Amino acid sequence: SALVRMLIKFDRTRLKEISSALPETARIVAPFVSDISDEILDAEEAGLLRTLDWKIVIPSIESWLSAYCTRLNVLSKRQLVPSIVWVWAKTISDANVLILHSPASPKLPPRKQANGLLGLALVSARLLPLKAIATKNLCPGLWEQVLGQMKDTMSQQAEVPTCQVPDNHASHILKWLCVSVQADLRNVRQDCEDVALQLHGALGGDRGAPLHG
């Protein structure tokens, strides 16, 4: 039960996914965690941490981005290495902005922030058109403004690799993006929207500009 509660603390937004991956006994325990007193769970959790010698690795935005870029390399059969290396550097630079100004929260944990950063960086790298990840909730001008702001976030702005992908190839890259982050397109677009708003605020976007389309 203590292990289940720790997993819930780690990422409440993925509770259903986490629960389905647990052993059968743990899945049976999960619904009853809330019925156990906090004192008992605190004691069990402390004992578990001592057993693990406090060696717990909690995924960060950077670790998620590393996994995603590795998957993209595999899915693309390493044909986009220069672009994906640029995307990696770009997302890490933008992740630092989020860490300073918009830290992860239960609503937007590191994984979802990484999803949004990756989608936006693929547009910046000209591997995807903006329409592939843009939602209709935000006005087109705001999306363009965010992408313009993002151009200045790398300390030493590296030249974007020349890789303007034809539309038919872009559809494959969009599919690879969803496979890499293990989310459907609707959720990927929502993560991109949430992160775009965070970056817009963190980078001093025009507060008078309309946000919604």
Side-chain angles (χ1 to χ4, degrees):
S1 56
L3 176 59
V4 172
R5 188 173 74 159
M6 290 174 70
L7 287 170
I8 293 172
K9 282 182 180 180
F10 159 63
D11 196 342
R12 185 175 294 274
T13 62
R14 297 177 60 226
L15 177 56
K16 182 176 180 181
E17 178 184 341
I18 290 171
S19 179
S20 66
L22 292 172
E24 182 64 26
T25 52
R27 291 204 298 273
I28 293 172
V29 168
F32 301 102
V33 171
S34 59
D35 297 331
I36 302 173
S37 70
D38 288 339
E39 291 77 10
I40 293 175
L41 285 172
D42 287 342
E44 290 186 2
E45 189 174 319
L48 182 58
L49 289 170
R50 285 194 296 271
T51 300
L52 296 172
D53 196 24
W54 292 83
K55 294 177 180 177
I56 297 178
V57 178
I58 299 177
S60 62
I61 298 179
E62 183 173 344
S63 63
W64 283 120
L65 289 169
S66 178
Y68 294 163
C69 288
T70 299
R71 293 170 190 171
L72 279 175
N73 258 330
V74 172
L75 290 168
S76 63
K77 299 180 180 179
R78 298 185 61 81
Q79 294 180 13
L80 302 173
V81 170
S83 292
I84 292 177
V85 167
W86 186 92
V87 164
W88 157 252
K90 182 76 181 101
T91 55
I92 294 302
S93 177
D94 293 334
N96 289 332
V97 173
L98 292 187
I99 290 169
L100 287 174
H101 299 278
S102 302
S105 65
K107 181 181 178 182
L108 202 60
R111 182 173 188 173
K112 294 178 76 64
Q113 287 184 313
N115 295 354
L117 287 171
L118 182 59
L120 289 166
L122 288 173
V123 174
S124 295
R126 299 194 289 267
L127 291 173
L128 284 177
L130 176 57
K131 65 181 181 182
I133 57 100
T135 63
K136 295 181 180 179
N137 295 330
L138 303 184
C139 68
L142 181 69
W143 284 107
E144 295 289 352
Q145 187 181 79
V146 170
L147 290 171
Q149 291 173 300
M150 290 173 63
K151 290 180 180 179
D152 302 322
T153 57
M154 294 177 73
S155 56
Q156 293 182 335
Q157 184 68 40
E159 191 70 24
V160 179
T162 303
C163 188
Q164 292 186 328
V165 182
D167 286 343
N168 59 331
H169 289 181
S171 65
H172 291 299
I173 293 174
L174 186 60
K175 180 179 179 180
W176 295 338
L177 168 61
C178 293
V179 171
S180 296
V181 304
Q182 297 180 318
D184 59 32
L185 182 55
R186 181 179 63 84
N187 283 309
V188 169
R189 284 174 171 163
Q190 185 60 56
D191 293 340
C192 289
E193 176 187 313
D194 291 338
V195 169
L197 286 172
Q198 286 189 325
L199 287 172
H200 178 68
L203 297 171
D206 181 3
R207 298 184 183 278
L211 297 180
H212 301 287

